[in-house]
Amino acid sequence: MKHYQDEDVYHAACRRISGIFDRFERICVAFSGGKDSGVLLNLAIDEARKRKRRIGVLFIDLEAFYRISIEFVERMLSRNADVLEPYWVCLPMESPNSLSYLEPTWVWWDPACESIWVRPMPNHRCVVNLRNNPFDFYRRNMPFELFFRRFNEWFGRGTLSACLVGIRTDESLQRYRAITCRKESFEGLHYSTRTGESSYSFYPLYDWRTEDIWTYNGRFGKDYNRLYDLFYKAGVSIHKMRVDEPFGNEAKAGLNLFRVIEPDTWARVVNRVSGANFGNLYSGTRLMNSRYRLPKNHTWKSFTKFLLSTLPPETARNYRTKFIKFIRYWKRTGCPLTEEYIRFLEEHHADSIENTHTFSRRGSGDKEVVKFRKIVDEIPELDSRKDLLTWRRMALCIIKNDFVCKSLSFGVTRDLTLRQQELMEKYRNL
């Protein structure tokens, strides 16, 4: 649960960052060019200047960036060159592409696609690419998440190292859980996570609200990505503004703004990333969101099977494999339910529950545990639960082109990376 303190979030963040500087020799800030990481970088720069120390800054260039965002990154690095040790990473890495069934992932800065890159390769001295790569841990097209973990350990050079990350629990339940879940942390600090033998990630802004971000920028006159000004003029809520790579499930709804704000860049994005224009046309419509209505004469189970039959064989095989794994896990572990949920299920699915023994009761007395294991078509009141498996969740996974199945708690694996490389090569040669 949240426990509110007398200290405001600004002074709390300054205190946390000061404590990190006290304990760690090597400190790096993960900088994306967005509002949260921009505030975090400014706070870390102020602390570094006060102590006359240098800090690292990791910017992973995703190729399909707004030109305005790149201008902000350049300003931050050039104006603070006295305290920053920058790593502008332009190495090919794999990322989900929720806009295409034929290319469900894409690789930024892929040398095979150099002629159609969204932007030319930056030529700054701090740029890291295939011709200038100091990272011995890097593997071609490795997933972004794996690169980030390996970089933390590499950056420490055998000493304690801290990477500051600008995530806030106010943004999503997933980020809230990243802070509150049980994990190996540094000296018991709940806003830290161990990422390697001597490396840790810290989240000093975890308790900030979106309003706090803009209050800080305004009160202290800090630089920020001017793209947010254009979003504001376009009527986008401050809580829905995103500037990261636009082809994942979370950010694709902003593709129509990409087209309006930077039409020249957008034209190259459409030519570069399969399905980008489809996302621009249909993201935010009923076709691509959770309000999708079940077609007539279908159950969610039959509709899921129908969708699988329409996919390219390699893509369908990936979904089937993921679904089977999740179904096996579900039938083994089930979902802990409160008495309120149990009453709902008994009222709506009483016959099936009794016939299939979907409840398993363990423990004794007041600490009795109840688990639900049956795969039902849908449970509208509970379908948003991440640990509840329904056929509707599986169908929406396909509809949203969630190839990695992140909505079912899966991540990118090495096998998936290799399979996608083979898939892209096959369709490139057609």
Side-chain angles (χ1 to χ4, degrees):
M1 295 179 62
K2 294 181 179 180
H3 298 281
Y4 292 92
Q5 310 295 323
D6 293 333
E7 188 178 31
D8 63 65
V9 293
Y10 167 70
H11 288 97
C14 291
R15 174 176 50 79
R16 293 166 192 149
I17 292 173
S18 178
I20 294 169
F21 272 79
D22 288 340
R23 294 171 175 83
F24 288 83
E25 297 179 32
R26 299 281 291 167
I27 297 174
C28 182
V29 178
F31 180 47
S32 68
K35 61 184 185 302
D36 301 334
S37 64
V39 167
L40 182 59
L41 181 56
N42 274 315
L43 287 169
I45 287 171
D46 289 345
E47 187 68 24
R49 275 211 181 93
K50 189 189 307 181
R51 297 172 181 250
K52 297 182 179 179
R53 287 178 56 178
R54 292 181 65 83
I55 60 173
V57 55
L58 172 66
F59 172 59
I60 298 183
D61 192 331
L62 311 182
E63 184 191 332
F65 266 124
Y66 284 94
R67 184 173 59 254
I68 303 174
S69 297
I70 295 301
E71 291 170 356
F72 172 54
V73 173
E74 291 173 335
R75 289 198 307 272
M76 289 296 291
L77 298 187
S78 62
R79 293 176 181 177
N80 302 287
D82 57 317
V83 295
L84 295 182
E85 177 187 335
Y87 297 89
W88 187 318
V89 179
C90 297
L91 292 169
M93 279 183 265
E94 187 179 56
S95 177
N97 173 21
S98 63
L99 306 174
S100 171
Y101 289 117
L102 296 181
E103 294 185 13
T105 64
W106 77 293
V107 177
W108 56 70
W109 301 117
D110 184 352
C113 301
E114 183 172 357
S115 61
I116 57 171
W117 281 349
V118 176
R119 299 173 16 248
M121 176 68 67
N123 58 4
H124 305 289
R125 293 180 58 185
C126 58
V127 168
V128 176
N129 53 35
L130 292 176
R131 299 185 184 90
N132 175 36
N133 176 23
F135 306 134
D136 55 2
F137 63 85
Y138 172 76
R139 298 295 179 269
R140 183 70 68 90
N141 300 352
M142 68 191 303
F144 160 80
E145 295 84 359
L146 179 58
F147 176 90
F148 181 74
R149 291 197 300 270
R150 298 282 175 82
F151 174 85
N152 285 359
E153 190 69 19
W154 176 90
F155 179 78
R157 300 171 187 171
T159 63
L160 271 179
S161 66
C163 186
L164 310 187
V165 184
I167 67 171
R168 298 180 295 107
T169 59
D170 191 46
E171 283 198 299
S172 68
L173 178 61
Q174 183 178 3
R175 296 190 173 191
Y176 183 87
R177 292 175 65 184
I179 300 296
T180 59
C181 69
R182 293 179 181 178
K183 57 184 183 297
E184 192 171 359
S185 59
F186 179 76
E187 297 183 351
L189 296 174
H190 62 279
Y191 57 90
S192 67
T193 303
R194 185 171 184 172
T195 57
E197 186 175 343
S198 57
S199 61
Y200 294 83
S201 288
F202 287 85
Y203 319 106
L205 305 183
Y206 74 91
D207 51 356
W208 286 44
R209 299 173 305 161
T210 305
E211 292 83 354
D212 297 323
I213 294 293
W214 295 113
T215 300
Y216 167 84
N217 286 332
R219 182 169 297 179
F220 295 99
K222 296 297 185 180
D223 194 7
Y224 62 92
N225 189 337
R226 304 300 172 178
L227 180 61
Y228 289 103
D229 294 342
L230 299 179
F231 284 161
Y232 184 77
K233 291 178 181 179
V236 180
S237 164
I238 62 172
H239 301 283
K240 295 185 178 181
M241 297 177 180
R242 300 185 66 94
V243 302
D244 55 2
E245 181 267 319
F247 310 114
N249 282 321
E250 298 83 3
K252 63 188 178 185
L255 286 173
N256 61 324
L257 288 175
F258 208 139
R259 175 181 58 85
V260 173
I261 291 173
E262 289 189 8
D264 292 342
T265 306
W266 173 248
R268 292 191 288 272
V269 168
V270 171
N271 190 47
R272 172 73 171 90
V273 182
S274 176
N277 199 47
F278 172 84
N280 161 56
L281 294 173
Y282 295 106
S283 289
T285 67
R286 195 178 71 190
L287 177 65
M288 299 288 282
N289 61 35
S290 57
R291 298 189 298 274
Y292 187 93
R293 295 179 184 175
L294 184 65
K296 189 177 180 180
N297 298 324
H298 266 297
T299 64
W300 284 109
K301 180 177 181 179
S302 67
F303 189 50
T304 300
K305 294 183 176 181
F306 168 75
L307 290 173
L308 287 171
S309 70
T310 66
L311 298 175
E314 296 88 348
T315 305
R317 188 178 305 114
N318 169 75
Y319 282 113
R320 287 194 184 95
T321 301
K322 298 286 188 180
F323 292 168
I324 289 171
K325 286 183 179 179
F326 198 20
I327 289 171
R328 287 174 178 170
Y329 168 80
W330 169 256
K331 290 188 174 181
R332 184 174 69 252
T333 63
C335 169
L337 297 175
T338 65
E339 290 299 326
E340 178 184 359
Y341 291 152
I342 294 168
R343 285 196 298 272
F344 173 84
L345 290 168
E346 289 176 335
E347 290 172 4
H348 292 74
H349 305 277
D351 293 339
S352 59
I353 287 174
E354 292 176 0
N355 294 337
T356 56
H357 305 288
T358 53
F359 287 129
S360 80
R361 303 175 182 270
R362 295 186 301 170
S364 60
D366 297 334
K367 295 184 178 180
E368 185 177 46
V369 175
V370 182
K371 292 193 174 184
F372 179 65
R373 291 189 174 91
K374 182 177 176 59
I375 306 175
V376 295
D377 218 44
E378 68 173 322
I379 306 178
E381 288 83 351
L382 309 181
D383 230 24
S384 61
R385 287 181 58 125
K386 294 291 186 184
D387 53 358
L388 180 63
L389 181 60
T390 64
W391 286 105
R392 180 177 183 273
R393 284 190 66 194
M394 287 187 274
L396 288 179
C397 196
I398 300 173
I399 292 169
K400 294 180 179 181
N401 203 11
D402 182 8
F403 186 75
V404 178
C405 295
K406 283 189 175 182
S407 58
L408 298 181
S409 304
F410 285 95
V412 178
T413 64
R414 176 171 174 77
D415 288 343
L416 178 60
T417 301
L418 294 175
R419 186 161 62 250
Q420 177 56 17
Q421 290 174 9
E422 295 172 357
L423 185 60
M424 292 177 66
E425 198 62 36
K426 173 181 176 181
Y427 285 103
R428 185 179 291 124
N429 295 329
L430 289 180

